[in-house]
Amino acid sequence: MNAQTSSNRDLLGSWRTAALLYGLPSAAIVASSISISVGGAAPAPLPDAFRAAVWAIACAVMGGACLVNAARCGRVHCYFTGPFLLAVGVAAILLGAGLLPSGQESWSVLGLVLLVGAIVLMTVPEWMLGRYRHRPG
């Protein structure tokens, strides 16, 4: 597979596909992290179980898309971000289930890990190894 073929098969090559597979789940994570006010009461975060479900589904969609993309076109960062995003989804489930220390700061830490980890894993591997992993033949 050459670079042009890889590029043509890259899910990130279409802004619509990228927005659907990565933008929408990212927006869901951000939206579920915003404190809400009901009936004039002080703003309160969403319940952990709800937030965990949103984060787990969003991370599964993004991580699954990365793994598919790695197989489709050999996009280098997808080999790293796919498993990472799935692991963050599992951590969100554990946090929501109370199996990890819970609280607003726990969600903030997980969000920071998600943000920084995704940025690092999307940039450093491709900076070091190139954009696509080329397969012979």
Side-chain angles (χ1 to χ4, degrees):
M1 188 178 316
N2 63 36
Q4 183 61 37
T5 303
S6 294
S7 177
N8 291 342
R9 296 177 53 87
D10 191 346
L11 293 173
L12 295 170
S14 162
W15 71 267
R16 286 182 180 98
T17 303
L20 179 66
L21 295 175
Y22 301 100
L24 193 60
S26 296
I29 288 172
V30 170
S32 72
S33 301
I34 297 172
S35 296
I36 57 171
S37 178
V38 178
L46 294 171
D48 283 353
F50 178 80
R51 188 183 304 191
V54 170
W55 284 45
I57 292 167
C59 287
V61 168
M62 293 187 294
C66 283
L67 294 178
V68 166
N69 206 37
R72 276 176 57 101
C73 70
R75 185 77 187 241
V76 168
H77 82 250
C78 289
Y79 289 97
F80 299 92
T81 55
F84 170 74
L85 290 165
L86 295 176
V88 171
V90 170
I93 291 170
L94 296 174
L95 189 55
L99 299 174
L100 291 176
S102 157
Q104 185 58 39
E105 52 287 331
S106 299
W107 287 104
S108 296
V109 168
L110 187 58
L112 185 61
V113 167
L114 175 58
L115 179 65
V116 172
I119 290 170
V120 168
L121 292 175
M122 286 185 333
T123 56
V124 173
E126 290 189 3
W127 172 68
M128 293 177 68
L129 303 171
R131 182 168 285 177
Y132 298 103
R133 185 178 139 238
H134 301 290
R135 297 182 191 104

